[in-house]
Amino acid sequence: MASIGPMKQQCRACASHLGTRLLPTFHAPLSTAGWPSTSMKAIDMPTMPIDLFACARCGHVQNTSFYAETIPHDLGLKMYNQGHQWSAHLDTQIETLVTMIGPDATVLEVGCGDGRFLKRIGSHIPKGRMIGIDPAASFSSSGLELISRRLRPDDIRQIGPDLIIIRHVLEHLEHPRLMLEQIASECLKPTLIYAEVPCFDPALSEGRCADLLYEHCSHFREQSFRALWSCISTELITQNSPLNGEVLCCLRRVLPDSRTDSFVDLYCEKTKTQPTRLMNTLQSLVDTGNPVVVWGGTGKAAALLNRSGFKGPLLVVDSHEQKVGGWVPGLGLPITSPKNIKGQPIIVVPSKWRLDDIIADIAAYNITPQSIWVEQGGSLCQVDG
């Protein structure tokens, strides 16, 4: 029984870290992205490592030594198949998709290649808008719009497609989950997405090696293809494996997520002038002529003082005896004992969650503070009472 251990890369389908090695590392040249012009150039082609692991959670198979930079995507991936079975498969998928969209739908195909699939959909809905995006595409066809570059997340928002098509693209991506997350984040309405990848289950059961292309960094299986979509909110309409199980197809509806990052603008607004406000408040406290004590020498106290840029004069104390005699990281201010506090100081407590404990410590040391201050709203605020 092969042992399970950490993979060099997270699972591209479910993001797990654990897997099992399938084969010893071997090397192979590019086979669909590299077409040499002479026999000698073919012989001299560099080879790339193929380091296959199977995810312990979802069974996804991937090359953990794949690096996207080695693939010349601008040249395109040269594949050809006009066989009867393949054509019939395309007809079936197109018929299904056309029934799911309206007569004036906007369809976006990511990695459209020569545009044939997109053009065939367009022939069924002549009033629709057909857009293909591919860094290597250079075709010209009436009724099709071509974007000759890689997909940008804001393309989805700007185009507003009713249907997104991703055929035989995900198996080539170093980060397929990232692409799906970026697409979903820009969908402003429920959006159909059709995806198709090779299925690796037959290759596994038959012990095949012809499927192990370097360009295919992911080898999806039925379970791992389902796991891939867990990173975004979708409604599964259908998933099947036609062509004797050699292909995985799924049609899903992307459901726009309720944004969970609304806190970002609020936090940015509160903290955009934070260093200056902290600096000014600390300086104004020092200017009162009372000793200013920062209670806590490391951790949150060091973070606050370094953020403010204020270097003193301050007395830094800590209730923890092991920190006494040390120095504030980044500032070099000595950390002393609360026993050294004289008079009626102004006390700054950076660790707000420890405020009650520190107030108790202040009382235990018989210290009568002039006032106590905590961080709030991007600055320092006086504690009532």
Side-chain angles (χ1 to χ4, degrees):
M1 184 79 177
S3 62
I4 294 176
M7 298 186 289
K8 290 193 294 184
Q9 297 171 337
Q10 281 182 275
C11 174
R12 295 189 177 97
C14 75
S16 174
H17 291 271
L18 297 180
T20 304
R21 177 177 287 278
L22 279 186
L23 290 172
T25 303
F26 65 97
H27 290 71
L30 299 180
S31 55
T32 63
W35 275 39
S37 58
T38 68
S39 172
M40 188 56 64
K41 287 182 178 180
I43 293 171
D44 291 339
M45 287 179 71
T47 59
M48 313 296 178
I50 296 181
D51 211 12
L52 288 184
F53 276 77
C55 174
R57 177 189 291 174
C58 72
H60 187 65
V61 175
Q62 67 186 46
N63 178 8
T64 60
S65 290
F66 173 84
Y67 297 97
E69 296 78 10
T70 61
I71 307 294
H73 287 289
D74 56 328
L75 300 178
L77 303 176
K78 299 177 175 61
M79 295 172 284
Y80 177 83
N81 190 340
Q82 287 190 336
H84 173 73
Q85 279 190 313
W86 182 251
S87 296
H89 160 67
L90 297 184
D91 289 339
T92 299
Q93 304 310 314
I94 289 169
E95 289 172 6
T96 300
L97 294 177
V98 168
T99 62
M100 299 294 295
I101 55 179
D104 57 351
T106 297
V107 180
L108 172 66
E109 183 173 12
V110 179
C112 62
D114 60 11
R116 293 185 186 184
F117 191 83
L118 191 60
K119 186 173 183 180
R120 289 172 68 175
I121 291 181
S123 68
H124 288 270
I125 51 169
K127 294 183 180 179
R129 184 185 179 197
M130 303 293 116
I131 306 169
I133 185 166
D134 193 308
S138 59
F139 63 84
S140 177
S141 178
S142 61
L144 299 186
E145 301 175 39
L146 174 63
I147 302 174
S148 297
R149 56 168 171 76
R150 298 186 183 187
L151 177 73
R152 297 171 184 162
D154 60 357
D155 289 332
I156 306 298
R157 182 181 293 264
Q158 293 175 7
I159 295 170
D162 301 290
L163 169 64
I164 301 169
I165 299 169
I166 310 176
R167 298 177 56 252
H168 298 274
V169 170
L170 296 172
E171 66 269 26
H172 296 279
L173 299 182
E174 192 169 9
H175 304 291
R177 289 169 63 92
L178 175 60
M179 170 181 265
L180 296 182
E181 288 174 336
Q182 289 177 328
I183 288 174
S185 71
E186 297 293 331
C187 286
L188 301 180
K189 61 183 180 182
T191 305
L192 291 172
I193 184 166
Y194 172 75
E196 184 176 306
V197 296
C199 181
F200 197 59
D201 286 319
L204 279 176
S205 62
E206 297 169 14
R208 300 188 322 221
C209 69
D211 305 75
L212 304 179
L213 317 181
Y214 182 80
E215 291 90 330
H216 287 192
C217 58
S218 278
H219 300 281
F220 288 96
R221 305 175 63 198
E222 184 172 354
Q223 182 178 347
S224 70
F225 195 43
R226 290 181 184 272
L228 173 69
W229 298 90
S230 64
C231 64
I232 61 175
S233 297
T234 66
E235 173 192 350
L236 176 62
I237 298 172
T238 181
Q239 176 168 319
N240 52 57
S241 49
L243 297 172
N244 298 316
E246 296 288 345
V247 176
L248 284 167
C249 308
C250 79
L251 179 61
R252 291 175 176 264
R253 182 175 286 106
V254 178
L255 307 174
D257 287 325
S258 56
R259 298 293 293 265
T260 59
D261 59 358
S262 57
F263 65 88
V264 172
D265 290 341
L266 180 62
Y267 184 79
C268 289
E269 180 63 28
K270 287 184 176 180
T271 59
K272 64 183 179 182
T273 59
Q274 185 180 58
T276 301
R277 292 162 68 192
L278 288 171
M279 169 80 79
N280 291 342
T281 303
L282 287 168
Q283 186 62 58
S284 67
L285 295 178
V286 169
D287 290 344
T288 64
N290 295 91
V292 177
V293 175
V294 176
W295 202 294
T298 60
K300 288 181 171 59
L304 184 140
L305 291 176
N306 277 280
R307 176 68 172 156
S308 72
F310 190 74
K311 295 178 172 58
L314 295 169
L315 178 67
V316 180
V317 304
D318 201 293
S319 305
H320 197 276
E321 292 183 359
Q322 290 185 351
K323 295 179 183 179
V324 173
W327 309 88
V328 177
L331 297 175
L333 297 173
I335 302 171
T336 187
S337 169
K339 297 175 182 177
N340 296 325
I341 296 175
K342 307 295 184 184
Q344 292 185 313
I346 297 171
I347 297 179
V348 176
V349 182
S351 298
K352 188 174 182 180
W353 72 279
R354 291 199 62 233
L355 178 61
D356 290 343
D357 288 340
I358 290 175
I359 289 175
D361 287 344
I362 292 171
Y365 281 99
N366 294 317
I367 298 168
T368 305
Q370 181 80 17
S371 58
I372 298 175
W373 296 68
V374 295
E375 185 185 9
Q376 185 171 316
S379 185
L380 298 174
C381 296
Q382 187 172 346
V383 177
D384 293 336

